């Protein structure tokens, strides 16, 4: 028996050598519990019944699928092109809860390819669909999602913007044991093409530079809504984050028709089939 069990169980300090980028990513930019609660609340409000099935496009480590399945009777399909990230998600997020199995399927495929089934809730989050950089590509993706939705299904995408989103900048945020850095590295106003990086920095001075790279088109809310309409969706609504007295986001999103511009915002667009 160790002399001092509390000491033995202490985690080693994070450094670039021992850190797992997927763990750091999940801790920095994902809040699956809040997100799953939001999807459930909006689905109940708009469709009048509890949501059961989820299709998570660009699922990466399938953290949201794992959270979704915490309620029994729910099912989920996660889709991603990258076999390594799916394998990581299976080992760290899904095997511990006994999945993939009866209630979850992971599909290694392009999100634009046919996905069997009809889903209550489909999501493309953390701006992943910004990889489609032309109107035709994005419209085609939206149309393929619509084909696999339940009649009263909803499609959720998020978007970011505000005047800071058009400026190259590095935004560090201190988290437990490391610093997450969002780096808006390049922005081309002619195409709205952007190159963003996520870096991680550690207390010992070591760094994981460019742990993740995103080459996207920075789509605006009106463009996204117009393309959803062109893809056949019947109605779209924008869900905007409430601010506190200092103007900081509260994590509560409400449907809004008009808002004032802000330096930086994240919003959801919800599309009804
Ligand atoms: C930013 S991660 C998203 C992770 C997670 N869903 C989230 O919300 O943070 C983007 C993922 O999209 C995947 N991806 C990119 N293009 C894709 C495509 N055309 N079809 C399927 N997956 C794709 C990548 O492999 C990567 O795992």
């Amino acid at each position: 028996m160790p002399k001092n069990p509390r000491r033995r169980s202490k985690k080693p300090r994070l450094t670039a050598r021992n850190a797992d980028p997927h763990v750091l990513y999940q801790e920095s930019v994902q809040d699956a519990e809040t997100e799953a609660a939001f999807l459930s609340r909006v689905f109940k409000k708009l469709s009048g019944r509890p949501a059961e099935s989820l299709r998570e496009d660009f699922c990466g480590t399938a953290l949201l699928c794992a959270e979704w399945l915490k309620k029994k009777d729910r099912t989920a399909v996660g889709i991603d092109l990258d076999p390594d990230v799916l394998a990581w998600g299976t080992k760290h997020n899904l095997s511990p809860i006994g999945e993939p199995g009866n209630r979850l399927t992971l599909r290694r495929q392009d999100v634009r390819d046919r996905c069997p089934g009809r889903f209550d809730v489909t999501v493309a989050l953390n701006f992943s669909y910004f990889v489609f950089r032309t109107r035709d590509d994005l419209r085609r993706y939206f149309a393929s999602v619509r084909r696999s939705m339940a009649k009263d299904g909803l499609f959720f995408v998020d978007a970011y913007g505000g005047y800071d989103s058009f400026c190259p900048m590095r935004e560090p945020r201190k988290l437990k044991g490391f610093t997450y850095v969002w780096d808006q590295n390049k922005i081309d106003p002619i195409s709205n093409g952007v190159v963003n990086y996520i870096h991680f920095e550690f207390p010992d001075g070591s760094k994981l530079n460019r742990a993740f790279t995103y080459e996207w088109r920075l789509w605006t809310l009106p463009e996204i809504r117009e393309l959803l309409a062109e893809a056949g969706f019947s109605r779209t609504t924008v869900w905007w984050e409430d601010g506190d007295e200092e103007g900081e986001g509260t994590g509560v999103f409400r449907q809004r028709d008009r808002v004032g511009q802000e330096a930086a915002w994240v919003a959801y667009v919800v599309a009804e089939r």
Side-chain angles (χ1 to χ4, degrees):
M1 196 153 149
K3 277 193 190 130
N4 184 344
R6 281 171 67 205
R7 251 192 123 150
R8 282 288 290 267
S9 64
K10 206 174 156 197
K11 280 192 189 163
R13 262 163 55 118
L14 282 175
T15 69
R17 287 172 72 95
N18 68 15
D20 182 331
H22 292 306
V23 172
L24 304 184
Y25 176 91
Q26 291 187 166
E27 288 180 11
S28 307
V29 303
Q30 291 193 281
D31 179 355
E33 193 180 339
T34 306
E35 207 135 48
F38 172 71
L39 303 174
S40 308
R41 173 170 73 84
V42 175
F43 188 85
K44 184 87 205 297
K45 190 178 163 92
L46 298 186
S47 301
R49 65 180 179 95
E52 288 180 0
S53 52
L54 170 74
R55 166 178 160 176
E56 185 186 7
D57 282 0
F58 309 97
C59 69
T61 63
L63 186 66
L64 183 65
C65 288
E67 180 63 34
W68 185 259
L69 295 174
K70 283 187 181 164
K71 289 217 169 124
K72 64 176 173 50
D73 300 332
R74 285 187 163 180
T75 58
V77 171
I79 302 178
D80 203 285
L81 269 180
D82 180 353
D84 295 337
V85 77
L86 290 176
W88 192 97
T90 301
K91 179 167 175 205
H92 297 272
N93 293 332
L94 303 171
S95 300
I97 60 161
E99 296 285 353
N102 292 338
R103 296 195 293 136
L104 170 76
T105 311
L106 286 181
R107 298 180 66 89
R108 182 193 160 199
Q109 65 171 61
D110 194 296
V111 292
R112 292 164 292 187
D113 293 343
R114 201 181 83 80
C115 172
R118 293 271 172 180
F119 301 93
D120 295 337
V121 170
T122 304
V123 299
L125 297 177
N126 266 324
F127 329 114
S128 309
Y129 65 101
F130 284 9
V131 288
F132 302 128
R133 296 170 66 140
T134 66
R135 291 178 57 88
D136 281 349
D137 280 348
L138 190 56
R139 190 190 308 102
R140 240 178 264 138
Y141 165 56
F142 287 165
S144 73
V145 164
R146 191 172 170 277
R147 283 193 286 274
S148 77
M149 288 168 66
K151 272 209 178 89
D152 59 350
L154 299 180
F155 178 36
F156 293 74
V157 297
D158 55 8
Y160 73 92
Y163 40 88
D164 278 356
S165 63
F166 293 96
C167 306
M169 63 193 282
R170 283 168 72 97
E171 190 184 271
R173 183 155 48 91
K174 263 195 173 333
L175 293 163
K176 221 172 149 198
F178 67 99
T179 300
Y180 156 89
V181 184
W182 175 247
D183 176 358
Q184 290 175 183
N185 196 268
K186 289 197 187 76
I187 296 154
D188 167 15
I190 293 180
S191 63
N192 268 5
V194 298
V195 181
N196 299 328
Y197 300 111
I198 292 177
H199 317 289
F200 298 111
E201 297 174 355
F202 302 92
D204 70 344
S206 61
K207 295 179 181 178
L208 281 177
N209 268 323
R210 300 187 178 181
F212 297 96
T213 299
Y214 303 104
E215 295 187 19
W216 287 336
R217 171 163 167 181
L218 183 52
W219 291 95
T220 64
L221 290 172
E223 288 170 323
I224 294 162
R225 298 180 80 187
E226 283 162 14
L227 286 166
L228 285 162
E230 289 171 25
F233 285 88
S234 61
R235 188 171 91 110
T236 60
T237 44
V238 174
W239 295 68
W240 199 262
E241 192 174 11
D242 283 351
D244 63 15
E245 276 156 20
E246 273 97 51
E248 291 299 314
T250 60
V252 177
F253 288 78
R254 241 176 265 283
Q255 199 236 305
R256 304 281 295 275
D257 294 321
R258 261 188 187 69
V259 292
Q261 184 58 292
E262 293 169 12
W265 49 258
V266 171
Y268 291 93
V269 179
V270 180
E272 294 165 49
R273 184 171 177 277

